[in-house]
Amino acid sequence: MAGCFTCAVSEADTSGARDDELRAFRSAAHALVESVVDHLAALPSRPVWQPIPDGLKSRLLDLPLPAQPATLDDLVAAMSGDVLPYAMGNGHPAFFGWVNTPPSLAGIIASLTAAAMNPSVVAGDHADVHLERTVVRWLAELVGFPHTPGGGLLTSGGSVATIVCFAGARGRALAAAGHDVRRDGLVGAPQLIAYVPAEAHSCVRRALELLGVGSGAMREVPLEGGRLDTATLCASIAADREGGAVPALLVGSAGTVNAGVIDPLEALADVASAEGLWFHVDGAYGAFGVLDTAIAARYRGMERADSLVLDPHKWLGVPVDAGCALVQRADDLRDAFSLIPPYLRQGTGAPVGTFAEYGLEQTRPFRALKTWATIAARGRSGIAAQVVRANELARELAALIESEPELELAAVPETSIVAFRTRPARCPPARLDDVNRALPEAVQARGRAFVTGTIFDGRETLRACILHPDTGSEHLATLVTEITEAARMLAAQVP
Ligand SMILES: Cc1ncc(COP(=O)(O)O)c(C=O)c1O
């Protein structure tokens, strides 16, 4: 990308107050870059995470509203001393918590550029708008999802992308039933039903609640050992129809949050198309796993989804926030969201509307630049290699767990999330759940590794999510040691 506008309008202003401000900005920004690089360089040798010292915590919480302006140098000093060192921990290669990655370096640079431009990415002939269209197409191409212009947009994350997709699904299902939800709300609307696997992320339920479908209208998708019980699902759909409800939505995960399991997407797609349901795939964590040829076949059916959610701020390492909603038919979103008041008229009548016509936000940040930069800095092959490596490490961790008598695997990893439990030798079985529940915090406080917990198969379970490009075998070994030592310590405590 190179070039500039052909017409210079005025000479650059090189004197006066603005010039002084920019000089101060240049110097403060250089100093900040030094701090940021020092921080990134020091990360691997520091604790993964430690509680913020009490004094600093109170200082941050009790900061008075400043009466007088601070200089940029003051702000850089505060950020470098009081903020940067006390991070969440996801920059460290021994961070295995939730689904959080370190930021890509390209994404950090792009974030500065995007902030310097500060556009509202809605419509118009400016670089940010065109780049978002390209980035959305790239994301679709990366995961093999069909794409036509308008068929997706960037969001703040997977949760909002899910709401965007479900608004499309709701509108389509109710329109087919002769109900105009945008005009009439849900008054007089038939009850929509959503079929959702038990392991679906909570954002699915939250979106259904928010859109007035209600969690009471969720039916569990019968999955036995990862296989779809099609007959039971179809019977449940038929019973709902007979009861006067409108079966509308079928959800599958391309990588569950608890154990990284890929649902039987092909079988789900078959039922959705046979029954006329909107098929939604949650690929927020796992969709990029399709780039690993060893498991790509497990994703078959994802490309048939009516909507697919991706989170570039997860496996790709785009700095938060960057989610993405992709849909087969752009008009499903435009029908749900398009509303152009006179004060926002812009390119009306264009075949592909403004971004605000396809989602929730009017003023939209320039998420595309950090996403573009992150993808461009690695290329498809670099991203694929990182995905393959993460999945390999997950299998390596699973093997370590299996060879450690005081640990047990909860599920064989399919992607880069490993669910497991501890069973310290001296721990009475009745206390195992308590020990597993308390373990993440105990491990986190020791500062050498970071892991989080969940409930899986009805039992307290640990889950290690491997997404950091620098994670290696040594970090897996540290995790196992930390878990076993902390578990023994907890087991030895009198309840
Ligand atoms: C499988 C899955 N879906 C959806 C989400 C929600 O995405 P976000 O946190 O970006 O809103 C997550 C977050 O971890 C997730 O793991």
Side-chain angles (χ1 to χ4, degrees), residues 406-408 420-424 431-447 449-454 460-463 479-491 493:
E406 296 195 344
L407 297 177
E408 65 182 2
F420 62 105
R421 302 186 184 98
T422 176
R423 47 175 186 205
R431 287 201 59 226
L432 277 178
D433 246 18
D434 288 345
V435 168
N436 277 288
R437 188 190 178 94
L439 198 49
E441 277 191 22
V443 170
Q444 291 164 16
R446 292 159 65 98
F450 194 109
V451 70
T452 50
T454 186
E460 288 293 339
T461 303
L462 306 158
R463 51 181 290 294
L479 176 67
V480 168
T481 305
E482 287 299 294
I483 297 260
T484 44
E485 285 183 9
R488 280 179 205 153
M489 193 190 69
L490 286 171
Q493 284 171 3

Side-chain angles (χ1 to χ4, degrees), residues 36-37 40 102-111 316-317 319 370 373-374 377-378:
V36 166
V37 175
L40 294 173
S104 71
L105 298 181
I108 299 174
I109 292 181
S111 298
L316 294 189
K370 58 191 175 181
T374 301
R378 290 192 187 129

Side-chain angles (χ1 to χ4, degrees), residues 29-347:
H30 278 295
L32 183 69
V33 167
E34 293 299 327
S35 279
V36 166
V37 175
D38 290 346
H39 162 77
L40 294 173
L43 270 177
S45 57
R46 298 194 46 177
V48 182
W49 170 85
Q50 293 271 271
I52 294 192
D54 286 345
L56 174 60
K57 196 187 306 186
S58 336
R59 246 189 327 119
L60 292 177
L61 284 169
D62 300 337
L63 277 176
L65 177 68
Q68 300 302 326
T71 65
L72 291 182
D73 287 340
D74 294 338
L75 302 182
V76 168
M79 286 191 276
S80 306
D82 292 350
V83 180
L84 259 180
Y86 304 101
M88 173 177 166
N90 46 321
H92 196 288
F95 183 93
F96 299 98
W98 302 293
V99 191
N100 294 100
T101 38
S104 71
L105 298 181
I108 299 174
I109 292 181
S111 298
L112 176 64
T113 315
M117 294 171 71
N118 202 30
S120 175
V121 189
V122 178
D125 191 14
H126 26 110
D128 44 275
V129 171
H130 304 312
L131 262 188
E132 179 157 341
R133 301 227 180 271
T134 291
V135 157
V136 170
R137 173 173 56 77
W138 280 9
L139 290 167
E141 278 177 30
L142 267 177
V143 299
F145 193 77
H147 182 67
T148 49
L153 78 172
L154 299 181
T155 64
S156 60
S159 302
V160 167
T162 303
I163 295 168
V164 167
C165 294
F166 287 7
R170 182 184 72 166
R172 199 173 83 188
L174 288 178
H179 185 86
D180 182 347
V181 69
R182 294 194 58 177
R183 188 191 59 206
D184 300 330
L186 291 171
V187 175
Q191 176 66 57
L192 300 181
I193 305 291
Y195 303 86
V196 181
E199 283 289 309
H201 190 272
S202 59
C203 72
V204 167
R205 174 176 168 167
R206 210 163 42 177
L208 291 170
E209 290 175 354
L210 196 67
L211 289 165
V213 176
S215 54
M218 284 166 63
R219 307 280 183 267
E220 188 172 323
V221 172
L223 294 171
E224 284 298 328
R227 296 173 62 121
L228 176 66
D229 179 349
T230 303
T232 302
L233 176 59
C234 290
S236 161
I237 294 169
D240 284 324
R241 272 209 185 96
E242 241 164 71
V246 174
L249 176 69
L250 178 58
V251 174
S253 296
T256 58
V257 64
N258 274 342
V261 172
I262 304 159
D263 286 339
L265 302 176
E266 181 104 89
L268 291 169
D270 287 344
V271 172
S273 70
E275 297 282 352
L277 307 186
W278 178 293
F279 180 37
H280 172 83
V281 173
D282 178 357
Y285 152 66
F288 296 107
V290 73
L291 291 164
D292 180 348
T293 50
I295 55 167
R298 293 279 294 114
Y299 287 82
R300 219 171 277 136
M302 184 164 79
E303 73 290 350
R304 291 166 61 194
D306 294 279
S307 54
L308 171 65
V309 161
L310 309 173
D311 255 350
H313 68 201
K314 291 191 164 67
W315 216 328
L316 294 189
V318 174
V320 173
D321 62 359
C324 180
L326 295 174
V327 290
Q328 298 275 355
R329 289 166 300 276
D331 280 351
D332 284 327
L333 296 187
R334 202 170 186 183
D335 290 347
F337 290 103
S338 177
L339 183 65
I340 310 175
Y343 46 85
L344 290 173
R345 279 187 304 236
Q346 235 179 329

